[in-house]
Amino acid sequence: MRQSGILLPLFSLPSPYGIGTLGKAAREFVDFLHDAGQSLWQILPTGPTSFGNSPYQSFSAFAGNPYFIDPDLLAEKGLLKTQELPRGAPDGSAVDYAFLYRTRGALIKKAAGRLSESESDFLRFCHENSFWLEDHSQFMALKEANDMLPPAKWKKQSASHEAVHLHKKIQYLFFRQWLDLKKYANDKHIRIVGDLPIYVSRDSSDFYFRPALFLSGRSAACPPDSFNPEGQLWGNPVYDWAAMEKDGFGWWIQRLRQAAALFDCIRIDHFRGIYEYYSVKEESRSAVCGEWRSGPGLAFVETIRRELPEADIIAEDLGFLTDDCRDFFSRAGFPGMKVLQFAFDGDDSEYLPHNYTKNSVAYTGTHDNPTVRQWLCRCGDSRRQRAMDYLGAQNIACLPDCFIRAVMGSVSERAIVPFADWIHLGSEGRINTPGTAEGNWEFRIRQRDMSEKLSQKINYYTVLYGRSRRC
């Protein structure tokens, strides 16, 4: 079945609380997707963010971000009083993480403290999630006892039972709101595409409590390329895949099983690293002197197929690919990604729509790309002209819609367009610029952006290219 959807992170939703939440605006966006004939809502990772606010650098591979907990829903449950509800940045302004850090944690703790410890749903949640919840709650209580410093700088090595228990309650509040939202979306025939970072942060409960899963002295990196001559130092620890394989990749299967319960489809970021990954010495100051090492390859894929046969997985296959790596992706069988912005560097790029296959997901761009409009301003005359010729664009102004039409009309079974491309935003709509530390993960939309006129336009394209639920 041909499908289409929209990419929009949770933090980008409008709200009076300085960041998108799991409350009213999230349901209104689901309604918007439904009215626009969409089937998919792709989000970014939902974990609690650490340095740089990146959802790909989280304190836990399993936990939810407390910033997404909706204060209004807490008030409806009697966990907050009306006069305690905060007011943050105005609708449509950038996410202010410094403001949230100063104010939101105390509010969520106040609500969590009012939750009854004997509530049966809470006790069931603690039992069902014990494989990660205890570690995460201990880790966060220790971080708070040490002024939120990373573990290498901790002086206090214990935390109170009360502090640990409070973090369990916070996670319960997040997952209760999340599952309510997921049910609302599914009832509207909207499937949620979640995003699973391949690596964890060094500043995480996973790395702190399970060091045997990781290789010491090595860090994940991206090799030099035309965009970054020094490469990129990601800083994440790399896995000891041999150790993981001995227990049947148990930690990964737990992670994927939880993701399959939270999302309808799972995009695994940087899936290339399952076949072969690039790493550097931990003390390296550039990625130039790194090396490629073999990952678990098809043994990992076969384990997923056996343990989670119904899992719907998208394998992010972007970046430098060798012939052997392409063969791995083909044999793995998961749909890969086709990004139209990458199509105009050569004469017959694999990212040109006439080269797509059905078993793929077509994008105008991703969270790491500029918006189409921004790309057009910076791509250079030759790429721009090539795009206009290929897409049959009469002028530059119509190119964003031409990009959308191309991916929607492609043979790919699924097509996903970032919301910013639908409303023709420029640099103000960019979500992340890889290799930079400032100004990322802050983009938010306004309530009026989800207009009926836009909904009708999206629905028109969706029906036209046979991607509507009614087609």
Side-chain angles (χ1 to χ4, degrees):
M1 176 180 173
R2 288 168 62 79
Q3 297 177 320
S4 63
I6 292 178
L7 167 62
L8 187 73
L10 285 174
F11 60 75
S12 296
L13 292 166
S15 87
Y17 300 123
I19 191 171
T21 69
L22 298 169
K24 179 182 177 183
R27 283 164 173 74
E28 289 176 343
F29 187 66
V30 168
D31 294 341
F32 174 84
L33 290 169
H34 178 269
D35 293 343
Q38 301 306 284
S39 304
L40 306 168
W41 176 12
Q42 181 171 329
I43 60 173
L44 296 187
T46 57
T49 55
S50 58
F51 177 76
N53 309 308
S54 170
Y56 297 90
Q57 296 284 350
S58 177
F59 293 138
S60 169
F62 297 88
N65 191 337
Y67 289 163
F68 295 150
I69 297 173
D70 185 71
D72 289 327
L73 293 179
L74 295 177
E76 289 179 10
K77 297 291 185 181
L79 299 177
L80 286 178
K81 300 174 183 177
T82 302
Q83 60 268 30
E84 293 173 332
L85 295 176
R87 288 295 180 266
D91 181 32
S93 64
V95 178
D96 186 344
Y97 288 100
F99 169 80
L100 292 168
Y101 180 78
R102 292 193 306 269
T103 63
R104 194 54 48 82
L107 182 78
I108 300 301
K109 285 182 179 179
K110 181 180 291 186
R114 292 169 178 163
L115 181 71
S116 171
E117 295 189 12
S118 61
E119 184 173 324
S120 59
D121 283 347
F122 171 64
L123 295 175
R124 187 183 308 110
F125 170 80
C126 291
H127 174 72
E128 292 175 350
N129 294 277
S130 59
F131 65 93
W132 66 267
L133 184 60
E134 186 68 35
D135 285 353
H136 170 72
S137 301
Q138 287 274 359
F139 182 80
M140 293 308 299
L142 282 167
K143 278 192 73 70
E144 290 176 347
N146 289 277
D147 301 319
M148 297 303 289
L149 292 170
K153 298 182 179 181
W154 286 357
K155 295 179 179 179
K156 297 179 181 180
Q157 299 300 317
S158 63
S160 70
H161 170 78
E162 291 76 17
V164 174
H165 210 58
L166 194 61
H167 280 284
K168 293 181 182 179
K169 290 182 176 182
I170 290 171
Q171 287 303 305
Y172 168 73
L173 294 176
F174 172 88
F175 283 102
R176 182 167 69 176
Q177 289 192 4
W178 170 260
L179 291 173
D180 285 347
L181 174 62
K182 181 179 183 295
K183 182 179 185 305
Y184 185 86
N186 291 167
D187 287 347
K188 294 272 188 173
H189 307 289
I190 303 299
R191 303 177 74 241
I192 296 179
V193 182
D195 196 319
L196 212 65
I198 187 172
Y199 292 121
V200 303
S201 170
R202 290 188 181 276
D203 190 8
S204 70
S205 58
D206 312 280
F207 184 65
Y208 182 73
F209 284 107
R210 304 191 185 209
L213 297 178
F214 305 90
L215 291 176
S216 62
R218 305 293 299 183
S219 290
C222 179
D225 56 24
S226 58
F227 299 102
N228 294 281
E230 294 292 310
Q232 296 177 42
L233 293 174
W234 292 347
N236 309 76
V238 295
Y239 299 113
D240 185 340
W241 285 113
M244 284 187 158
E245 190 167 5
K246 288 179 181 178
D247 77 340
F249 306 104
W251 179 85
W252 262 100
I253 294 303
Q254 285 181 320
R255 192 182 180 201
L256 286 165
R257 187 167 283 126
Q258 186 208 41
L262 298 177
F263 312 120
D264 301 293
C265 177
I266 308 164
R267 189 197 85 109
I268 302 181
D269 184 59
H270 194 61
F271 200 79
R272 187 212 195 287
I274 301 299
Y275 173 72
E276 189 179 44
Y277 64 92
Y278 190 80
S279 70
V280 297
K281 292 181 179 179
E282 192 175 335
E283 65 272 15
S284 297
R285 296 193 175 185
S286 83
V288 172
C289 296
E291 61 182 42
W292 289 100
R293 294 187 176 186
S294 296
L298 290 175
F300 181 76
V301 175
E302 290 164 0
T303 301
I304 295 175
R305 298 283 194 197
R306 182 178 65 253
E307 298 293 332
L308 296 114
E310 302 300 320
D312 185 1
I313 292 173
I314 297 171
E316 193 260 280
D317 56 349
L318 306 175
F320 173 71
L321 302 179
T322 63
D323 288 341
D324 287 346
C325 193
R326 293 178 193 278
D327 180 64
F328 161 73
F329 276 109
S330 176
R331 295 172 69 186
F334 300 130
M337 297 172 59
K338 302 297 182 184
V339 180
L340 187 54
Q341 285 187 30
F342 298 157
F344 304 107
D345 293 335
D347 293 332
D348 195 29
S349 166
E350 65 182 294
Y351 298 108
L352 288 169
H354 69 263
N355 287 325
Y356 293 0
T357 61
K358 286 186 177 182
N359 191 37
S360 65
V361 188
Y363 293 81
T364 54
T366 74
H367 64 276
D368 281 336
N369 293 111
T371 66
V372 171
R373 183 177 167 191
Q374 184 185 18
W375 180 86
L376 291 169
C377 294
R378 57 189 294 183
C379 66
D381 292 341
S382 62
R383 285 194 186 95
R384 189 183 303 110
Q385 188 60 53
R386 194 175 295 124
M388 292 183 69
D389 291 343
Y390 183 88
L391 299 172
Q394 299 300 310
N395 53 63
I396 293 176
C398 73
L399 265 175
D401 278 350
C402 291
F403 267 66
I404 293 171
R405 284 177 175 267
V407 299
M408 293 285 279
S410 73
V411 72
S412 298
E413 289 183 343
R414 286 177 276 201
I416 296 177
V417 177
F419 190 87
D421 284 344
W422 278 113
I423 57 176
H424 294 194
L425 291 182
S427 58
E428 72 276 17
R430 183 155 193 176
I431 295 172
N432 178 52
T433 303
T436 65
E438 301 292 332
N440 298 315
W441 322 111
E442 298 176 358
F443 166 63
R444 294 180 70 200
I445 67 172
R446 301 160 299 180
Q447 190 70 37
R448 65 176 181 268
D449 291 331
M450 296 185 284
S451 67
E452 182 178 355
K453 181 178 180 181
L454 177 61
S455 174
Q456 292 173 348
K457 175 182 176 179
I458 297 173
N459 189 64
Y460 171 75
Y461 282 5
T462 305
V463 173
L464 182 65
Y465 293 111
R467 297 187 181 276
S468 171
R469 295 186 305 274
R470 294 178 289 276
C471 289

